[in-house]
Amino acid sequence: MDTVLPKVIVSLAQRVIEENGNAGLKIATAESCTGGLVSAALTEIAGISAAFPAGYVTYSNDAKVAMLGVDPKLIKSHGAVSQPVVGAMAEGALEKSRADIAVSISGIAGPGGGSAEKPVGTVMFGLARRGQPTKTILKQFGAEKNRAEIRRDATIYALELLLE
C-alpha cells in the first residue's frame, strides 16, 4: 500500500480498524498536538467510513470548547495539556460523533512551550468508551526528542490505546 505515513503506523491503524470493526465499534478522535495524524492513519485504510464517523483537530483552546464542548474553566484551571481536559475532549468527541470509542491527545511537542511542570515531550491521552469510565494517561516521551518524533510516538500510542 502506498502511503505518506510510516508503514508501522498504517499497519497499526489497520489492526485498530479490524479489531474495533469486528467488535462493531465506531471510533472518533480528538487531537491537538498530533494535528490529525491519528485520523490520517485511520483514513489510510480503505472503507474506513463505516468505522470512523469523525475526527476533530482542536489545536486551539477555543476549538476544544466550540467543537468538543470542553468547559473553558477546565482549561483555565488545569491547562490544555492536562488529564481533565483530555478526558473532556474524548467525551466530547464521543458525544458529538456518536462513536463508541474515542481517543484524545493534547501535549507539548516542542521545541518550545514546555515548563518545569510540563516539559517538552509531555503528552496526555484520554480514552472514552460508551458505558465505561473515561481513562486518562500521562506519557513523557522525552525532551530530547524532536517535534516530529514526539508527534509520531503520540500517534502510535493513541492507536495502541484503541486496541485495549
Side-chain angles (χ1 to χ4, degrees), residues 36-53:
L37 287 173
V38 177
S39 296
L42 293 171
T43 59
E44 284 288 333
I45 312 307
I48 184 65
S49 60
F52 182 61

Side-chain angles (χ1 to χ4, degrees), residues 63-75:
K64 289 171 182 62
V65 172
M67 294 172 67
L68 299 173
V70 174
D71 186 338
K73 292 176 190 167
L74 280 180
I75 297 170

Side-chain angles (χ1 to χ4, degrees), residues 3 16 33-34 39 59 92 120 123 142 152:
T3 177
V16 166
C33 70
T34 49
S39 296
Y59 207 77
V120 169
V123 183
R152 178 202 62 218

